[in-house]
Amino acid sequence: VSPRPDLIRREVLAGVAALTAGVWTTDSRAAGQGGRNPFTLGAASGSPTADGMVLWTRLAPDPLAADGLGGMTGPVPVRWEVAADEAMGQVVRSGAVQADGRFAHSVHVEVAGLKSDRPYWFRFSALGARTAIHRTRTLPAAGAAVGEVKLALATCAHWEVGYFSAYRHMAAENPDLIVFLGDYIYEYSYKGRKLPRRHDRAEDVVDLAGYRNRYALYKTDPDLQRLHATAPCVATWDDHEVENDYANRWSQDARVSEVAFLNRRAAAYQAFYENMPLRRRSIPMGPNMRLYDRFDYGGLAQITMPDGRQYRSQQPCGSATSRKGHVAPLSCADLADPTRTMLGLEQEKWVYDGFERSIARWNIIPQQVLFADFSESDRQGHVGRFTDGWGGYQAARTRMLQAIDQTRLKNPVMFTGDLHAFLTADLKADFSDPKSRTIASEFVAGSITSDGAPDSMIEDLPRNPHVHFMDNKAHGYISATLTPTRLETRYRAISDRFDPGATISTLKSYVVEDGRPGLMEA
Ligand SMILES: [Fe+2]
């Protein structure tokens, strides 16, 4: 959401080739790696199910090689092992896949046939090297009774404005699941500012080599690697995985053609796929990629993770040159236009169908942008709604609230990214009426490092009685524990984003009780 000019370049996307499933090969011609460690980006696991998960790594002995290929050329066999114990003594599954240049030597191993609701450990080996042993875990079986689930949720990690200490502290909490709410990377770099560390390049990332290297840079961070070694993750994206405030096929810069922007989006989505533990069904087809997904913790929790960027309508009331987020006055008719959508009509139906079928005690919705209504003022003091969040898509927000209400969704809770502030809000049955029923709670995670939301939002708080708390100075993450009787949410703040050894403390904590919409301060 940072207001800034962009350099736009036309990029041509390589044609989409069919993926051939990797097979073991004895062919180890792998020119380019030169005996160096190919696992500089670590490993990760994610997309868990009750009997498996995806194991991920990407070979990159020279992670920032100019061509984006990490110093790799030919195909290389990569061996993987999954064990029932931490010392890797009892290997229960193993195999080999081929990494090649089509997907930047990334591998996505879909492991199945494991026991539900238990930890496993895994590692990769290739080119005479091995990754560290990583922990992962399976989900509970469908409908199973589950005593407790611990989530750690993170958003907005700009490499240049701090160290990823928050990721280190997340790892230390040993969560069952890590949830990324968007802005895992940033496509832009700061200019004219003294910073503790710099991106791999000063210009905006716009092409496949650029996005690949941006992920590579972030993945070299030891705190992020440590986090991925502790638990499986699920990830949705926000804007900065592609471009600030983009919407669907539209750049924030209204002068950029849809074709040019879709080429950029295709490169960005491909790099996202290559760098996340995603299933084959997420392999991008040109500029399109299926990301939204659902994860069940037995009968305890259903996690519905939407994609609020790829299918949304244009932001309302843009200018001839810019569509980027701004505070639009309530006279902007687009704000409430019922034909506009945040998720796209197909995804909306998928979300509401999932609500209808949910048997879970808790229904968790981790998503990108502020859902609660927020009446705010711009720099000139004009009051309105920020157009990039759900406030710019009010009819879609109403449809979501109605679906929650009409399906009698049990204990709905939203966890949100993007804002660069911790914020706590009641979600009202009628968001235009602060006295209407509370039907859900929203917890917004502060940024891992990114610069805080504007102070003017703090001044706007009295206009928003349903917002209980906001802190735009702290950086950190959310830790949440679910049990059959309650959800406890802790806002975890690091001591100093510029201190690589920053300590952690709890800024605020809340409890939501089963069957009682709304929150209490813990
Ligand atoms: Fe962000």
Side-chain angles (χ1 to χ4, degrees), residues 156 183 186 240 420:
C156 297
D183 295 355
Y186 279 77
H240 290 289
H420 302 187

Side-chain angles (χ1 to χ4, degrees), residues 116-117 140-149 297-301 359 361 484:
S116 63
D117 199 17
V146 179
E148 185 182 292
V149 170
Y297 279 85
L300 182 63
I359 52 153
R361 181 75 56 101

